[in-house]
Amino acid sequence: IRFEGDNYGEAWLKEAEKRGLPNLIASPDAFATFLSEKNVKMLTETGVFSKEEMRSRLHILYDRYVKDLLIEGNPLYSMISENVLPAVFEYRSSLASNVEKLEKIDKKYAEPERTA
């Protein structure tokens, strides 16, 4: 049975629920189900894996996931800290300077208060 729609859309969420499929959005949540009782029983009884092999594979999944996050996250951190933040701080300083200049202009050219 196949689903021909968008697997990221609302229709898939409804279809998955209708089929009784879990909706695990985060990878670590999905990894944790690997060692569920029914999965361990099925994979060990069929001789696909021993329980130790399953634990080892789960460890490898988590390890790779963390490494992938670091591989993607470290360049993002560098880009933000070396390029984005300096530009933001410079722009903020420019805005503050302009506000200060505008306040001086307002004070200099403000109409004197009229007394009746």
Side-chain angles (χ1 to χ4, degrees), residues 11-25:
W12 168 245
L13 295 176
K14 291 176 183 172
E15 182 66 25
E17 185 177 340
K18 185 172 101 179
R19 294 181 188 191
L21 300 172
N23 181 25
L24 303 170
I25 296 171

Side-chain angles (χ1 to χ4, degrees), residues 1-12:
I1 299 175
R2 293 175 42 175
F3 177 72
E4 298 293 336
D6 174 8
N7 290 335
Y8 295 98
E10 187 67 31
W12 168 245

Side-chain angles (χ1 to χ4, degrees), residues 62-103:
Y62 282 124
D63 188 57
R64 180 165 179 183
Y65 178 75
V66 169
K67 285 180 182 174
D68 287 348
L69 286 178
L70 291 173
I71 288 169
E72 292 179 16
N74 286 335
L76 177 62
Y77 175 79
S78 292
M79 288 188 304
I80 289 172
S81 62
E82 294 172 15
N83 299 312
V84 175
L85 289 178
V88 167
F89 294 145
E90 184 178 327
Y91 182 66
R92 180 182 68 175
S93 178
S94 171
L95 288 177
S97 175
N98 288 338
V99 166
E100 188 178 316
K101 290 174 186 174
L102 288 171
E103 287 174 346

Side-chain angles (χ1 to χ4, degrees), residues 9-67:
E10 187 67 31
W12 168 245
L13 295 176
K14 291 176 183 172
E15 182 66 25
E17 185 177 340
K18 185 172 101 179
R19 294 181 188 191
L21 300 172
N23 181 25
L24 303 170
I25 296 171
S27 294
D29 295 338
F31 298 161
T33 65
F34 186 63
L35 288 180
S36 71
E37 189 176 324
K38 80 174 189 181
N39 289 338
V40 170
K41 182 178 178 186
M42 184 266 300
L43 291 169
T44 56
E45 286 180 359
T46 57
V48 175
F49 295 121
S50 69
K51 188 154 187 175
E52 293 75 26
E53 289 172 319
M54 292 182 72
R55 283 193 199 107
S56 177
R57 285 185 176 263
L58 181 61
H59 177 77
I60 291 167
L61 281 171
Y62 282 124
D63 188 57
R64 180 165 179 183
Y65 178 75
V66 169
K67 285 180 182 174

